[in-house]
Amino acid sequence: EEHLKESGGGVVRPGGSLRLSCVASGFGFEDDGMSWVRQGPGKGPEWVSGISWNGASTGYADSVKGRFTISRDNAKNSIYLQMNSLRVEDTAVYYCARNKCTGGTCFLSGWFDPWGPGTQVTVSS
Amino acid sequence: DIQLTQSPSSLTASIGDRVIITCRASQVINNFLHWYQQRPGQAPRLLIYAASTLQRGVPSRFSGSASGTDVTLTINSLQPEDFATYYCQQSYTSPPTFGGGTKVEIK
């Protein structure tokens, strides 16, 4: 069974940092692009960042560009999200998800399946 | 970024009803549209990708179709486990974006 599990969330003050992790199992992790998607309280999902299968290419939403960094370690079946200069508006549940698309790998597009259960990030003074 | 507008934002329905949810894009997206179901406290779950392809394991009462900039999700014979919030998502251009959601509640 394909499975993702996030960790690393918590409560942090504005301006602080957190590092999220996501470990995958049950599928060929090294073949697929991966993304982080967040969902603020009462809101729809928002794509945050994506990374290609080999980590050579990355992309970010404008709202986090310059503050967040995505990376991956295929030997550990894991992706990471380093979040710096956190703001109150970054408060959300953060999900990792695999990117899928027709005709090859993708990391800035496609649909998302599966998703992890999410990890809560709260930025508050 | 492409904007997706879902309608209605919420609806009430009974077990056995047919429910239709529409997602309208701010520009042509050529069937690069996908649907998710989210139950309270859970992550979104992929139902349909590329406008009309049912994800493996999803019941056949779910179906999708597209016409121009409008894409619809139909649930035939609503079941108790279908009461949830549904989101559309486009992947025609980056960044991928989501609609605001449609909450399906029990009448």
Side-chain angles (χ1 to χ4, degrees):
Chain A
E1 183 182 356
E2 300 174 340
H3 190 70
L4 297 169
K5 181 70 166 74
E6 307 90 345
S7 60
V11 180
V12 62
R13 296 205 185 278
S17 298
L18 276 178
R19 186 185 192 229
L20 305 183
S21 300
C22 170
V23 61
S25 61
F27 63 94
F29 174 80
E30 65 276 8
D31 297 329
D32 291 311
M34 298 290 295
S35 284
W36 288 97
V37 180
R38 68 184 180 184
Q39 189 170 24
K43 297 182 178 180
E46 175 193 17
W47 177 82
V48 172
S49 181
I51 188 166
S52 62
W53 65 275
N54 60 358
S57 300
T58 59
Y60 300 91
D62 287 345
S63 58
V64 307
K65 202 171 293 183
R67 301 187 298 123
F68 290 11
T69 302
I70 190 172
S71 60
R72 69 188 293 161
D73 183 342
N74 285 351
K76 296 183 178 179
N77 278 9
S78 294
I79 65 168
Y80 309 95
L81 188 67
Q82 177 67 43
M83 304 187 296
N84 297 331
S85 303
L86 282 161
R87 304 168 179 168
V88 170
E89 55 265 34
D90 294 319
T91 294
V93 176
Y94 284 72
Y95 300 100
C96 67
R98 179 181 60 180
N99 291 64
K100 294 293 289 184
C101 54
T102 53
T105 64
C106 49
F107 66 100
L108 296 180
S109 62
W111 55 92
F112 302 107
D113 179 70
W115 298 57
T119 187
Q120 175 70 49
V121 172
T122 302
V123 185
S124 174
S125 55
Chain B
D1 299 359
I2 293 178
Q3 308 301 314
L4 298 177
T5 302
Q6 288 185 233
S7 59
S9 56
S10 66
L11 64 92
T12 57
S14 300
I15 302 299
D17 283 354
R18 170 182 291 179
V19 167
I20 298 175
I21 299 169
T22 299
C23 180
R24 174 167 290 176
S26 57
Q27 65 180 76
V28 170
I29 54 174
N30 288 341
N31 291 357
F32 286 77
L33 194 288
H34 324 293
W35 291 99
Y36 302 85
Q37 176 193 67
Q38 187 175 34
R39 298 181 177 127
Q42 296 185 15
R45 166 200 177 199
L46 178 70
L47 295 177
I48 289 171
Y49 60 92
S52 61
T53 303
L54 202 63
Q55 170 68 348
R56 184 177 60 250
V58 174
S60 59
R61 62 180 179 272
F62 291 92
S63 64
S65 63
S67 176
T69 58
D70 286 359
V71 186
T72 60
L73 171 69
T74 300
I75 312 173
N76 285 304
S77 189
L78 201 66
Q79 297 300 300
E81 60 268 29
D82 300 337
F83 292 95
T85 300
Y86 294 84
Y87 293 98
C88 57
Q89 175 242 324
Q90 68 82 23
S91 60
Y92 185 65
T93 63
S94 183
T97 51
F98 292 81
T102 296
K103 187 173 184 179
V104 177
E105 298 178 293
I106 301 174
K107 182 181 289 183

